Amino acid sequence: MARILALFLTVVLALGACAAPPPPEPQLGPDGRPLPKVYRIRAGDVSKIEYRMLDSVNSLREAAGRAPVALNAKLNAAAATHSRDMSVQNRPWHFGSDGSSPIDRIRRVGYEGELVGENISETYETELETLAAWMDEEDTRRVILSPDARQMGFAWLQEDNGKIWWTLVMGE
């Protein structure tokens, strides 16, 4: 009987050790909501993020009855340049530190089409959370869903503290 009891206790303890610990309580901010977690982008994630954004943009465009857009390397370069520049300036705005506009930047990289628009963001959120925020605003939604758009550039710069500077450029 003692052996059966010892075996039973061993099984119970072993099963108890296999149970997952309870999830940690989320840290709350002053507003009572959970604090955001830093979204870290690894070097190997670049093309996954670009194509996840492209697929998401095209899904939204399809739902709105718009033609899909394609990634364009020149627009990606213009977007990357602006994301870096916004980080250097530490402010999200459409003008470069040299006074350049989005049109100037696409011309500098050799893009020959017309600019449809540029969306920018300074955030700690993922690309899809950023896209959702852009879709919530009329001006940025208009850029994403423009019937004239045929090409898309998308890039970012993530600072060491986790802040991400996102830039999306749409062209004809």
Side-chain angles (χ1 to χ4, degrees):
M1 180 72 160
R3 286 171 51 187
I4 294 174
L5 184 57
L7 181 61
F8 177 74
L9 285 175
T10 303
V11 169
V12 168
L13 290 173
L15 289 175
C18 293
E25 291 292 320
Q27 293 182 338
L28 302 179
D31 59 359
R33 297 176 60 188
L35 291 173
K37 294 180 182 172
V38 174
Y39 175 56
R40 289 283 177 195
I41 300 173
R42 297 183 313 256
D45 293 340
V46 172
S47 61
K48 285 190 283 190
I49 291 171
E50 285 177 343
Y51 284 100
R52 187 167 40 237
M53 180 61 98
L54 177 66
D55 291 344
S56 299
V57 165
N58 280 333
S59 292
L60 292 166
R61 290 178 61 80
E62 181 180 7
R66 303 291 191 266
V69 294
L71 276 178
N72 180 285
K74 291 178 180 179
L75 292 179
N76 282 349
T81 297
H82 193 54
S83 291
R84 277 190 304 276
D85 195 44
M86 286 189 296
S87 173
V88 168
Q89 296 181 74
N90 195 33
R91 63 177 168 180
W93 72 328
H94 294 282
F95 294 97
S97 55
D98 62 355
S100 63
S101 71
I103 294 170
D104 297 328
R105 287 189 293 277
I106 68 169
R107 292 290 172 251
R108 285 180 187 164
V109 297
Y111 185 74
E112 295 179 4
E114 295 298 317
L115 175 73
V116 171
E118 177 183 75
N119 290 347
I120 58 173
S121 180
E122 166 197 16
T123 185
Y124 292 87
E125 297 177 329
T126 69
E127 67 280 0
L128 297 182
E129 290 170 315
T130 301
L131 178 59
W134 285 336
M135 290 300 290
D136 282 343
E137 297 295 324
E138 184 179 336
D139 291 342
T140 50
R141 181 177 54 248
R142 189 178 315 118
V143 170
I144 294 164
L145 299 180
S146 171
D148 297 328
R150 297 289 177 264
Q151 305 286 315
M152 181 180 99
F154 180 66
W156 61 89
L157 180 120
Q158 185 166 38
E159 296 178 351
D160 291 341
N161 66 7
K163 184 190 296 184
I164 307 170
W165 300 88
W166 300 105
T167 305
L168 179 139
V169 181
M170 296 293 243
E172 290 183 4

